[in-house]
Amino acid sequence: MDTRQLDAKIVTALVGEAVAAPSMHNAQPWRFRFVAGERALQLLADPDRAMPRSDPENRALHIGCGAALFNLRVAAVHAGFAPVVELLPDPAEPLLLATVRLGEAPPSADEDGLARLHPAIRERHTSRHPFDEKDIPEEARAALRNAAHQEGAELLFPGPWHVETVLGLVHDAESRDASNPEGMEDLHRWTRLGPEADIATDGVPEYAFGPRMRDGKAPLRDFAGRRPVADRGTTSFERNPHLALLSTPGDAPSDWLRAGQALERVLLEATLAGLATSLTSHALESPDLRLLARDPVAGSGHVQMVLRVGYGPHGPATPRRPVRDVLDFV
């Protein structure tokens, strides 16, 4: 029997940690609904925060919501609950992506080791700064691969020639954007410049852009484009970036939600290991380029995200909407 009271304060705290998750352009494409009679938190997509130009199938939207779902699971276990997740529970309500029922957990019930990741939720930030050239120990790589595996995904650290292929795909995506200004509409909508950056509750503020790249090969999207940003500066980035490709066996909405959970588990594990991270989906936003990003040897799986991992400064916290704006009680 579930005897612990689930009041508004506890539910608000759980959602507050869920929304610390990353999402494409920090659009935060989620809403939450607490159904008290069922002790359930429902995760819903927010179609007003979709990106029709760069994410027409809402793949990235699902990945972002999946990352928030994973944070919710971690927060729930840390708070003493046993979360039971059902993905896409109601075909009649397509915006309902997941239901999380919060049962009371007995002591030592964290079989998946989620609670140990809890401190990293608030520490994880995307870094668009240069990383050191030094290699990542195999022990750390194995921990990240295992984190993805626990969520039904695969994390591949590609070899040098595969890395060059992926970097070439990112360059191709940048070239397409330059020749098609309409493709930049989503990015411009979600960047925050000047005074707007100081009061933003979503999007990527200019203080999180990082410096311009003078040279190097780090796959980073330049959120400023040709727009001026005061005191930004330029610097050299790593010439041999450490990349990882997150893939899932399937490519349906449920797979995208699993990819988001795997992504956040990898990011939290990396944070605990002292690694800095950034994400890019730039080369995955065009179907033809995305197909070329997969492992050319195995030739299986669907690449859902490209991660850049290394040792360097952790980025600043980016803004989040107040929980009251994304949580409803029914």
Side-chain angles (χ1 to χ4, degrees):
M1 178 181 295
D2 298 326
T3 58
R4 184 175 175 188
Q5 182 72 23
L6 259 174
D7 57 24
K9 182 178 180 180
I10 292 175
V11 172
T12 298
L14 294 177
V15 173
E17 299 200 275
V19 301
S23 58
M24 186 173 179
H25 302 350
N26 194 30
Q28 304 169 44
W30 45 62
R31 294 197 62 83
F32 294 84
R33 185 166 62 200
F34 180 61
V35 185
E38 301 178 10
R39 293 178 62 93
L41 262 168
Q42 297 177 332
L43 169 63
L44 301 98
D46 186 342
D48 292 336
R49 292 172 175 270
M51 301 188 191
R53 293 286 186 183
S54 49
D55 186 35
E57 295 185 338
N58 289 329
R59 184 181 64 86
L61 180 150
H62 282 74
I63 291 174
C65 288
L69 174 59
F70 185 78
N71 275 359
L72 178 58
R73 290 168 52 200
V74 171
V77 170
H78 178 262
F81 298 101
V84 177
V85 178
E86 183 180 2
L87 298 182
L88 305 173
D90 187 356
E93 192 175 2
L95 295 181
L96 178 57
L97 303 185
T99 295
V100 183
R101 290 182 169 79
L102 298 168
E104 190 170 356
S108 303
D110 184 14
E111 297 179 359
D112 294 331
L114 296 178
R116 60 178 286 274
L117 299 174
H118 182 260
I121 288 179
R122 298 293 185 180
E123 296 175 10
R124 181 218 62 81
H125 304 303
T126 296
S127 177
R128 300 183 181 91
H129 293 270
F131 295 170
D132 295 340
E133 294 282 357
K134 69 178 182 180
D135 201 3
I136 301 170
E138 176 54 32
E139 181 181 0
R141 292 176 182 244
L144 300 186
R145 285 193 292 262
N146 182 61
H149 178 74
Q150 286 181 274
E151 299 300 324
E154 179 183 11
L155 191 71
L156 170 71
F157 288 90
W161 59 274
H162 190 183
V163 167
E164 289 297 327
T165 298
V166 174
L167 293 176
L169 297 176
V170 172
H171 179 73
D172 288 348
E174 292 170 348
S175 298
R176 292 185 183 190
D177 284 348
S179 61
N180 179 24
E182 291 182 355
M184 301 292 285
E185 287 181 4
D186 291 331
L187 183 143
H188 289 164
R189 178 189 175 194
W190 294 105
T191 50
R192 308 289 181 248
L193 302 176
E196 185 184 20
D198 296 328
I199 59 173
T201 59
D202 57 15
V204 182
E206 61 178 34
Y207 58 76
F209 289 1
R212 288 189 185 274
M213 189 186 309
R214 180 188 308 122
D215 52 54
K217 295 184 177 181
L220 292 171
R221 195 190 305 253
D222 189 345
F223 283 89
R226 296 181 179 179
R227 296 171 295 176
V229 175
D231 302 321
R232 188 181 180 199
T234 62
T235 191
S236 297
F237 281 70
E238 64 268 29
R239 295 185 176 277
N240 298 290
H242 300 301
L243 304 186
L245 306 180
L246 182 76
S247 302
T248 54
D251 200 31
S254 59
D255 298 293
W256 303 336
L257 289 169
R258 292 187 182 93
Q261 293 178 86
L263 173 65
E264 185 68 345
R265 185 161 197 149
V266 169
L267 294 175
L268 297 186
E269 192 72 54
T271 300
L272 289 182
L275 291 164
T277 57
S278 65
L279 309 174
T280 179
S281 61
H282 207 170
L284 309 179
E285 292 160 19
S286 299
D288 57 334
L289 297 183
R290 184 179 174 220
L291 184 63
L292 296 174
R294 68 169 53 177
D295 181 357
V297 177
S300 61
H302 301 268
V303 180
Q304 306 293 355
M305 188 62 67
V306 179
L307 293 79
R308 171 175 163 255
V309 185
Y311 295 97
H314 291 245
T318 47
R320 291 296 184 275
R321 290 187 287 165
V323 171
R324 64 178 179 273
D325 291 350
V326 300
L327 173 61
D328 297 315
F329 291 85
V330 298

